[in-house]
Amino acid sequence: MKKGKKLYEGKAKILYAAPDKGTAIQHFKDDATAFNNQKKAIIEGKGILNNRISEHILSSLNHIGIETHLIKRINMREQLIKLVEIIPIEFIIRNIATGSLTKRLGIEEGTILEKPLLEFCYKDDSLGDPLIAREHIYAFNYCDVKTLNFITNQCFRINDFLQGMFKGIGIKLVDFKLEFGRTRKNESGSTTEKILLADEISPDTCRLWDATSEKKLDKDIFRKDLGNLIKGYQEVARRLDILHEQTNIRPIKFTKPIAVKIKKK
Ligand code: TMP
Ligand code: ASP
């Protein structure tokens, strides 16, 4: 597919124009950043894994009726997506207390929350994506009541589904971040506006812990220098059963069957 001009470059992805109107190509880079861009690295292969994992998760959500921006993955690093206007809010859903929640409120690390907690952050890197209340969203018209209620409902549905999906492969979904966007109205204004799940869902945007050992399998490996990030992301992809295309998996060695002598009685 022919890539058009660059529309936007973020920390981990680039958006290019696509041939069809209202669509774009989302390219996953190998760049890793943390703490609002203060820590940076290029981690070879991260973009490929996130592209594949996010495609798998968003397609699974599509199957349960959550409308997303994903049209299809087109190669190792790119997806064709519906172009949306991103609502400037990061929706954070938490099941277990860690990260900024523990720092902000002194909640003990690892506390299991009685109910999933939804937080809103204003999406602005220069301000460090500050936590905001519903009232800020309405006061500054980031989105209206109806849209926010719809998105809130989607967030909890997505959390329910993903918690179950990860539980089935021995992973705790500790917390994650979602972004939503509005489809653009066409020139005549006849296209009805839709709210779609956008951006990505990957180990860059979730905290994923092994259910038994609580070993981190997400971007905290990079944030906290816990080891090899690619190994963690590959482990997530392997358990999701989507690592088939990777060429660096060691072939299975077949050993000769051992001849067993059966003694005659
Ligand atoms: P936090 O504990 O640092 O607030 O992060 C909560 C969750 O949101 C965690 O899964 C990481 C994700 N997240 C992002 O995807 N992007 C961000 O910019 C931030 C701050 C968090
Ligand atoms: N995404 C943010 C950054 O790149 C924060 C984070 O994920 O830790 O700085």
Side-chain angles (χ1 to χ4, degrees):
M1 184 173 299
K2 205 173 165 288
K3 269 205 298 254
K5 68 167 189 205
K6 195 193 275 188
L7 302 175
Y8 169 82
E9 178 155 6
K11 287 177 290 201
K13 296 186 291 297
I14 307 175
L15 273 195
Y16 296 96
D20 287 338
K21 203 168 161 247
T23 67
I25 292 170
Q26 176 166 257
H27 175 103
F28 286 76
K29 301 193 281 185
D30 282 340
D31 301 42
T33 67
F35 313 116
N36 213 9
N37 229 354
Q38 288 176 52
K39 183 171 177 176
K40 288 186 203 176
I42 293 174
I43 304 176
E44 207 179 309
K46 181 178 82 80
I48 295 174
L49 283 157
N50 280 350
N51 183 24
R52 189 69 188 87
I53 293 170
S54 192
E55 176 212 10
H56 177 80
I57 295 179
L58 266 63
S59 320
S60 308
L61 290 170
N62 255 320
H63 284 134
I64 59 152
I66 306 279
E67 290 194 82
T68 80
H69 73 161
L70 179 73
I71 300 172
K72 61 176 179 181
R73 184 168 62 89
I74 47 181
N75 59 45
M76 294 287 266
R77 285 192 181 271
E78 289 165 336
Q79 320 180 328
L80 182 67
I81 57 163
K82 291 177 190 157
L83 197 57
V84 293
E85 225 171 81
I86 293 287
I87 294 168
I89 301 168
E90 296 196 345
F91 297 86
I92 312 279
I93 299 100
R94 301 181 186 270
N95 298 306
I96 299 176
T98 187
S100 69
L101 176 67
T102 54
K103 290 197 193 91
R104 216 185 311 126
L105 299 178
I107 310 287
E108 198 185 332
E109 167 79 20
T111 306
I112 296 166
L113 304 176
E114 256 177 52
K115 282 195 296 182
L117 174 67
L118 175 63
E119 293 178 332
F120 311 114
C121 293
Y122 179 53
K123 193 175 151 57
D124 186 329
D125 280 341
S126 66
L127 300 173
D129 300 337
L131 186 74
I132 51 170
R134 247 170 207 274
E135 285 69 19
H136 295 98
I137 298 175
Y138 301 145
F140 304 113
N141 209 18
Y142 300 143
C143 77
D144 60 25
V145 179
K146 194 172 156 235
T147 306
L148 192 56
N149 286 343
F150 172 76
I151 293 178
T152 299
N153 189 29
Q154 297 285 86
C155 286
F156 290 123
R157 276 191 69 200
I158 293 169
N159 184 47
D160 265 3
F161 177 79
L162 293 186
Q163 255 194 318
M165 187 188 87
F166 281 118
K167 196 172 180 184
I169 54 170
I171 292 176
K172 285 184 193 172
L173 176 62
V174 175
D175 57 29
F176 60 106
K177 186 254 318 178
L178 297 176
E179 292 184 30
F180 292 82
R182 300 181 178 93
T183 52
R184 290 183 184 165
K185 291 186 180 172
N186 69 18
E187 282 99 1
S188 63
S190 63
T191 309
T192 44
E193 188 185 271
K194 270 190 179 174
I195 305 294
L196 305 182
L197 174 68
D199 195 55
E200 67 175 293
I201 303 181
S202 72
D204 262 15
T205 62
C206 301
R207 283 201 177 91
L208 304 168
W209 295 355
D210 175 79
T212 320
S213 66
E214 301 214 325
K215 194 177 159 194
K216 315 293 184 260
L217 303 170
D218 57 72
K219 204 166 89 171
D220 270 355
I221 301 172
F222 170 69
R223 291 189 190 98
K224 299 181 175 175
D225 297 318
L226 300 177
N228 186 329
L229 176 128
I230 293 297
K231 277 198 180 149
Y233 286 30
Q234 277 181 337
E235 180 61 19
V236 174
R238 189 188 64 74
R239 292 196 202 179
L240 288 170
D241 206 18
I242 53 173
L243 206 58
H244 309 164
E245 296 159 21
Q246 298 288 319
T247 50
N248 55 355
I249 305 170
R250 268 187 260 140
I252 302 164
K253 280 186 189 159
F254 289 99
T255 49
K256 276 187 191 168
I258 304 160
V260 181
K261 278 187 183 173
I262 300 167
K263 278 186 190 172
K264 281 184 186 166
K265 278 188 185 169

